[in-house]
Amino acid sequence: MFRARPILTALALLLPMGAHAHIVFADAQATAGSYYAGFLRVSHGCGLADTVSIRVEIPAGVLSARPQPKPGWTLAVEHAPLPKPIQGEGGTTITQRVAAITWTGRLPADQFDQFGIMMKLPGAPGALYFPTTQRCTSGSNAWVNLPASPEAWHATKNPAPMLMLTAAHGDHAAH
């Protein structure tokens, strides 16, 4: 019984961390209007079950989003039509945007990984939310809830990953 006590203590310390872990951006702040390579961190499975897919919804204000491939994982990209066509860089006409990206593979429950997306961010400062569904070999975690305000993110149950856009230097619109 004496030897079991350190193991029980370690388990008691780990359980609260897993219960409060979220899917988050490794760098949760970016400049509005910039290109940004964001990496969503998946720090655990669904309880003891391995993660088998991550589906990230891309906010409507993000017109360009490109996923980073991962060895051993497959990618699926969903598109949505734009309300009206817009002129893109180089004079091309853009009629659709990336609406969601799904990685399918296997991430053991006791390991973590990052899933990368290169994006052209909207020009206005503020919070962007990326509702994310984590499917596992048994069960799933829906990180899809939007807080009442960015400050309430930590108090929100199963919050969607948040990226805070800040004004570019010299942008007086934020003042």
Side-chain angles (χ1 to χ4, degrees):
M1 183 69 172
F2 179 74
R3 290 182 188 192
R5 191 170 274 171
I7 293 170
L8 292 174
T9 301
L11 284 174
L13 291 172
L14 288 175
L15 287 175
M17 290 190 325
H20 292 99
H22 306 298
I23 292 181
V24 298
F25 278 99
D27 185 0
Q29 186 172 317
T31 303
S34 70
Y35 283 93
Y36 168 79
F39 296 90
L40 288 163
R41 280 192 187 140
V42 177
S43 61
H44 60 79
C46 305
L48 298 176
D50 295 352
T51 298
V52 294
S53 75
I54 298 292
R55 181 181 184 273
V56 180
E57 294 178 33
I58 307 301
V62 176
L63 296 179
S64 174
R66 294 186 174 123
Q68 181 181 37
K70 295 184 73 54
W73 291 72
T74 59
L75 275 170
V77 178
E78 300 170 43
H79 292 90
L82 292 174
K84 62 179 188 173
I86 61 169
Q87 285 300 113
E89 293 177 10
T92 60
T93 301
I94 301 171
T95 60
Q96 62 181 0
R97 67 177 193 83
V98 173
I101 299 168
T102 302
W103 288 266
T104 303
R106 191 167 195 110
L107 175 61
D110 63 347
Q111 296 177 17
F112 85 97
D113 207 343
Q114 298 187 121
F115 296 81
I117 307 170
M118 172 63 80
M119 298 176 273
K120 173 69 165 114
L121 299 173
L128 283 180
Y129 298 98
F130 295 76
T132 301
T133 302
Q134 175 186 21
R135 298 205 189 287
C136 297
T137 52
S138 175
S140 64
N141 291 320
W143 306 101
V144 298
N145 295 325
L146 305 182
S149 68
E151 297 77 23
W153 188 86
H154 285 288
T156 302
K157 182 179 179 181
N158 295 337
M162 178 178 67
L163 180 61
M164 183 57 69
L165 302 185
T166 59
H169 295 301
D171 185 352
H172 298 289
H175 295 292

